[in-house]
């Protein structure tokens, strides 16, 4: 009863508010209707009468006390209209819809009502006037989309002075959205890695590794509610990593909330571990206008180990794009649980901003401060030592990208990593110049330089790469040279290495690709080789 009264009050509020807006615009009237059916192409709206509505008129959607021009009338009968959405307007069945009718008077007689000639038999139904209606009724609410990838790769190192090493990698990923046009979707991403034993390794060593990064089923109860079961990374709580369990998410207009209950993957084998229970909840706000798109999420999570609290923390993350020029991102984690001294710990803080001045200039700035994550049960024996060495490793990065003229791209970046105890510090400078559509040799050319300096080592890397098409649409190739120089700060000895490589990518079929990389590494009198191959099939 209460819900019905609230619904009536809300509709009256919207109606009266809209009338107030229209009162200064002349003699007008609001005609109310509701959405009776929604398909991927059309929206069907039911009125008591459509005598004053014409093709091309705009209908206004009422949702959560907000009015928005949302639909354009394409065809009509005596009581129904077939409409198309304006832009990305979201419409659901039973949504309240209004048409603003501006009353006109006959200039020859102010007392006469305007006449309307519909030329439509009032007893005709929408089914007979619009033959596409029955066809649209058979269009599924959800459309199945399946895409996936299977690949097999080999990685072989053939050093001159050591034993050969070989590794095989198999990958499988599948995204099946709305299976058989249903509300159920499936996602998976699985890796299998195998090291080939050359007889010199211990026989008891595990050379086979299976890693399941995503394996989940998703059920969409309606447009605003979804339930996920299995292993999946929740992008609203990305710092949590993969979750084995249940994830529920519900939207309330622009607001959303979510619940998480499951288990952490094993920290050593990455398989299912029933001892690592975790649960939590989050709230968020999504905003989308013509100038701003943003999402902001805050959550509380608790992780346990064999029933005891391992970690409890609050997290926050925000991302936004403003006027398609300024992009902002920020995330933070505040640990609430400490069973030794009770102090709160800011374990993670990351912010970044990217501004696009024009099509030719782009500037990015980021800062991060990270501490080692402490699990008070998992690392019980080492926890006091880790707390004594609770340094925050911080970093700042600046990057400038330029396109001075057409077909030429260049940029430079600087990053600095540091700690208060001056340990693990490093400075990195990187610069590049790329030229595409070369006039004579064709293809593209890229030149880059990198310098890195840490507490004990300084390195300089010079590289050049040429990419081109050999057979259009069938075969592409990369050729590169790289010179690497290492200087140890506590020693006079240094090393210099040269790398010569070629990479070929061949399209065997429309969705079947084969690639091979060959590389020669020279260091003084030593020569080492590397060969990688990959077969990739997309479907």
């Amino acid at each position: 009863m209460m819900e019905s009264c609230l619904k009536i009050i809300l509709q009256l509020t919207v109606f009266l508010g809209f009338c107030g807006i229209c009162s200064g615009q002349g003699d007008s009237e609001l005609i109310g209707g509701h959405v009776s059916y929604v398909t991927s192409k059309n929206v069907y709206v039911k009125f008591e009468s459509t005598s004053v509505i014409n093709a091309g008129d705009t209908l206004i959607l009422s949702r959560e006390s907000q009015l928005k021009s949302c639909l354009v009338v394409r065809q009509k009968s005596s009581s129904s209209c077939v409409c198309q959405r304006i832009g990305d307007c979201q419409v659901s069945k039973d949504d309240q819809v209004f048409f603003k009718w501006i009353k006109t008077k006959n200039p020859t007689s102010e007392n006469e009502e305007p006449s309307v000639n519909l030329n439509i038999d009032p007893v005709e139904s929408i089914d007979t006037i619009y033959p596409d209606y029955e066809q649209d009724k058979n269009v599924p609410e959800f459309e199945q989309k399946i895409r996936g990838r299977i690949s097999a790769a080999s990685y072989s190192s053939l050093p001159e002075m050591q034993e050969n090493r070989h590794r095989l990698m198999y990958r499988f990923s599948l995204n099946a959205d709305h299976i058989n046009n249903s509300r159920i979707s499936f996602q998976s991403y699985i890796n299998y890695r195998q090291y080939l034993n050359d007889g010199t390794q211990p026989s008891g060593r595990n050379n086979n590794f299976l890693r399941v990064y995503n394996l989940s089923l998703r059920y969409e109860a309606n447009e605003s509610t979804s339930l996920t079961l299995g292993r999946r990374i929740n992008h609203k709580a990305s710092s949590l990593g993969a979750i084995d369990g249940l994830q529920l998410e519900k939207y309330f207009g622009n607001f959303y909330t979510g619940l998480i209950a499951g288990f952490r993957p094993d920290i050593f084998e990455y398989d299912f571990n029933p001892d690592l229970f975790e649960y939590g909840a989050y709230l968020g706000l999504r905003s989308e206008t013509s100038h701003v798109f943003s999402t902001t999420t805050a959550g509380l999570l608790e992780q346990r180990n064999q029933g005891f609290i391992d970690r409890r923390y609050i997290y926050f993350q925000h991302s936004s794009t403003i006027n398609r020029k300024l992009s902002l991102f920020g995330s933070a984690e505040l640990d609430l649980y400490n069973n030794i001294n009770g102090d709160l710990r800011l374990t993670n803080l990351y912010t970044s901003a990217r501004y696009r001045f024009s099509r030719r200039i782009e500037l990015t700035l980021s800062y991060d401060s990270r501490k080692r994550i402490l699990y008070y049960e998992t690392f019980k024996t080492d926890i006091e030592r880790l707390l004594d060495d609770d340094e925050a490793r911080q970093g700042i990065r600046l990057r400038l990208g330029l396109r001075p003229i057409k077909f030429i791209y260049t940029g430079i970046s600087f990053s600095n990593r540091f700690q208060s105890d001056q340990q693990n510090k490093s400075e990195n400078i990187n610069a590049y110049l790329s030229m595409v559509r070369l006039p004579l040799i064709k293809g593209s050319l890229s030149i880059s330089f990198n310098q890195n300096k840490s507490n004990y080592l300084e390195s300089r890397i010079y590289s050049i790469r040429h990419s081109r098409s050999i057979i259009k649409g069938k075969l592409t190739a990369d050729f590169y040279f790289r010179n690497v120089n290492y200087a140890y700060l506590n020693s006079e000895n240094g090393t210099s290495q040269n790398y010569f490589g070629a990479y070929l990518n061949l399209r065997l079929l429309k969705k079947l690709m084969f690639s091979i990389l060959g590389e020669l590494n020279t260091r003084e009198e030593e020569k080492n080789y590397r060969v990688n191959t990959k077969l990739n099939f997309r479907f």
Side-chain angles (χ1 to χ4, degrees):
M1 182 66 180
M2 181 64 70
E3 183 179 353
S4 300
C5 291
L6 290 174
K7 186 175 181 180
I8 293 173
I9 292 173
L10 177 62
Q11 292 176 353
L12 287 174
T13 301
V14 173
F15 180 84
L16 294 175
F18 189 75
C19 287
I21 294 174
C22 298
S23 61
Q25 299 178 357
D27 194 7
S28 62
E29 179 181 343
L30 282 179
I31 300 175
H34 68 276
V35 176
S36 60
Y37 197 75
V38 178
T39 71
S40 59
K41 296 181 179 179
N42 299 323
V43 176
Y44 297 86
V45 181
K46 188 77 172 179
F47 293 93
E48 289 188 4
S49 173
T50 62
S51 59
V52 295
I53 303 175
N54 297 302
D57 286 340
T58 300
L59 304 184
I60 301 165
L61 178 68
S62 169
R63 181 179 287 175
E64 299 180 358
S65 303
Q66 295 183 350
L67 300 172
K68 180 180 180 181
S69 297
C70 195
L71 302 171
V72 174
V73 177
R74 293 307 182 199
Q75 293 177 301
K76 73 167 189 173
S77 69
S78 58
S79 61
S80 296
C81 295
V82 180
C83 309
Q84 290 184 350
R85 299 174 183 84
I86 297 176
D88 57 354
C89 186
Q90 300 296 317
V91 183
S92 302
K93 184 180 179 182
D94 296 325
D95 278 349
Q96 192 75 21
V97 175
F98 293 101
F99 171 67
K100 186 182 72 171
W101 174 39
I102 306 298
K103 295 182 180 180
T104 58
K105 295 183 178 181
N106 193 325
T108 60
S109 176
E110 295 185 359
N111 296 323
E112 293 183 9
E113 292 291 332
S115 60
V116 179
N117 182 13
L118 297 177
N119 295 321
I120 296 179
D121 187 346
V123 300
E124 283 188 298
S125 68
I126 193 170
D127 304 294
T128 57
I129 295 178
Y130 313 127
D132 290 340
Y133 178 66
E134 284 297 331
Q135 179 181 349
D136 278 348
K137 287 169 65 177
N138 296 324
V139 174
E141 183 178 3
F142 301 101
E143 182 180 357
Q144 175 178 279
K145 291 183 179 179
I146 297 178
R147 55 200 181 278
R149 176 175 297 183
I150 301 174
S151 68
S154 67
Y155 305 89
S156 298
S157 296
L158 312 172
E160 191 174 49
M161 309 297 292
Q162 302 176 26
E163 297 292 336
N164 297 340
R165 296 189 300 273
H166 306 280
R167 176 166 57 96
L168 302 178
M169 176 74 78
Y170 306 92
R171 295 183 176 93
F172 172 78
S173 66
L174 174 66
N175 289 331
D177 297 333
H178 305 124
I179 300 172
N180 198 26
N181 298 329
S182 69
R183 299 175 182 270
I184 298 176
S185 301
F186 174 79
Q187 288 186 349
S188 67
Y189 179 57
I190 302 171
N191 280 4
Y192 178 73
R193 185 169 71 252
Q194 181 181 15
Y195 291 92
L196 302 183
N197 197 329
D198 59 5
T200 62
Q201 300 171 344
S203 59
R205 175 179 173 178
N206 183 15
N207 292 325
N208 303 306
F209 300 89
L210 177 65
R211 295 289 183 264
V212 178
Y213 296 103
N214 189 355
L215 188 66
S216 62
L217 283 173
R218 176 184 172 93
Y219 175 74
E220 298 177 48
N222 51 49
E223 289 184 343
S224 61
T225 307
S226 64
L227 178 67
T228 302
L229 173 65
R231 174 170 293 186
R232 179 175 175 266
I233 294 177
N234 190 327
H235 296 290
K236 302 289 191 345
S238 55
S239 64
L240 189 60
I243 303 163
D244 294 337
L246 290 170
Q247 301 180 53
L248 175 66
E249 188 169 87
K250 172 71 175 178
Y251 273 82
F252 301 91
N254 290 329
F255 291 91
Y256 57 85
T257 183
L259 298 175
I260 296 170
F263 304 87
R264 284 180 291 154
D266 187 86
I267 61 175
F268 300 108
E269 301 295 333
Y270 208 70
D271 54 8
F272 179 75
N273 190 333
D275 292 332
L276 304 181
F277 180 66
E278 61 184 357
Y279 61 96
Y282 58 87
L283 297 170
L285 172 65
R286 181 178 184 268
S287 177
E288 184 175 3
T289 67
S290 58
H291 300 288
V292 178
F293 175 80
S294 70
T295 58
T296 304
T297 309
L300 173 63
L301 296 165
E302 181 170 293
Q303 299 172 322
R304 291 179 172 260
N305 189 333
Q306 296 182 344
F308 299 99
I309 299 176
D310 215 6
R311 188 189 182 205
R312 180 190 296 146
Y313 68 100
I314 295 173
Y315 79 90
F316 168 86
Q317 64 182 45
H318 169 83
S319 64
S320 59
T321 302
I322 303 172
N323 290 327
R324 298 184 180 181
K325 289 183 175 292
L326 178 62
S327 297
L328 302 173
F329 180 82
S331 68
E333 294 179 13
L334 179 65
D335 281 40
L336 306 178
Y337 179 75
N338 187 326
N339 65 358
I340 295 181
N341 53 34
D343 293 337
L344 301 180
R345 298 174 67 245
L346 181 64
T347 51
N348 169 41
L349 175 64
Y350 177 81
T351 60
S352 70
R354 176 171 57 87
Y355 190 80
R356 187 179 185 185
F357 294 91
S358 66
R359 296 179 61 184
R360 299 181 182 274
I361 305 176
E362 183 178 278
L363 181 65
T364 302
L365 177 66
S366 65
Y367 168 80
D368 69 273
S369 175
R370 301 176 186 273
K371 290 185 176 182
R372 180 170 180 173
I373 302 300
L374 299 184
Y375 296 98
Y376 286 84
E377 292 297 321
T378 303
F379 304 131
K380 183 185 298 184
T381 58
D382 300 318
I383 202 69
E384 291 188 9
R385 177 181 59 82
L386 294 173
L387 280 173
D388 289 338
D389 187 28
D390 196 21
E391 293 285 347
R393 186 172 185 183
Q394 304 172 70
I396 187 170
R397 184 177 185 183
L398 179 67
R399 183 175 63 203
L400 177 65
L402 303 171
R403 192 178 72 168
I405 59 176
K406 194 174 182 180
F407 304 137
I408 293 184
Y409 301 84
T410 185
I412 186 171
S413 66
F414 170 79
S415 63
N416 186 18
R417 302 286 293 174
F418 54 91
Q419 289 181 186
S420 58
D421 61 0
Q422 299 302 311
Q423 298 299 313
N424 297 317
K425 67 177 182 179
S426 68
E427 292 182 356
N428 187 279
I429 298 175
N430 188 76
Y432 70 91
L433 174 67
S434 296
M435 296 168 282
V436 299
R437 299 188 184 181
L438 297 173
L440 297 178
I441 62 176
K442 298 184 179 180
S444 63
L445 184 69
S446 179
I447 303 170
S448 66
F449 166 77
N450 179 272
Q451 176 179 289
N452 184 276
K453 185 175 182 180
S454 66
N455 286 1
Y456 63 93
L457 178 68
E458 183 174 351
S459 66
R460 288 186 176 89
I461 303 174
Y462 308 87
S463 66
I464 182 170
R465 176 183 293 266
H466 173 55
S467 304
R468 61 174 299 132
S469 173
I470 305 298
I471 303 176
K472 187 176 181 180
K474 291 290 185 180
L475 179 64
T476 59
D478 286 13
F479 307 96
Y480 64 88
F481 167 76
R482 184 165 66 250
N483 173 254
V484 181
N485 298 277
Y486 296 107
Y488 296 92
L489 302 183
N490 57 358
S491 173
E492 295 182 358
N493 297 327
T495 61
S496 178
Q497 302 181 46
N498 293 317
Y499 295 83
F500 305 86
Y503 175 81
L504 299 177
N505 191 27
L506 174 64
R507 183 182 297 276
L508 301 176
L509 298 173
K510 183 178 180 179
K511 297 183 178 181
L512 181 64
M513 305 289 292
F514 173 76
S515 60
I516 182 170
L517 177 141
E519 182 183 88
L520 167 64
N521 170 19
T522 63
R523 181 175 56 183
E524 296 180 351
E525 300 300 324
E526 182 180 345
K527 295 182 180 180
N528 302 313
Y529 300 90
R530 183 163 66 100
V531 178
N532 298 342
T533 64
K534 185 175 182 180
L535 190 65
N536 186 57
F537 177 70
R538 294 183 296 114
F539 58 92

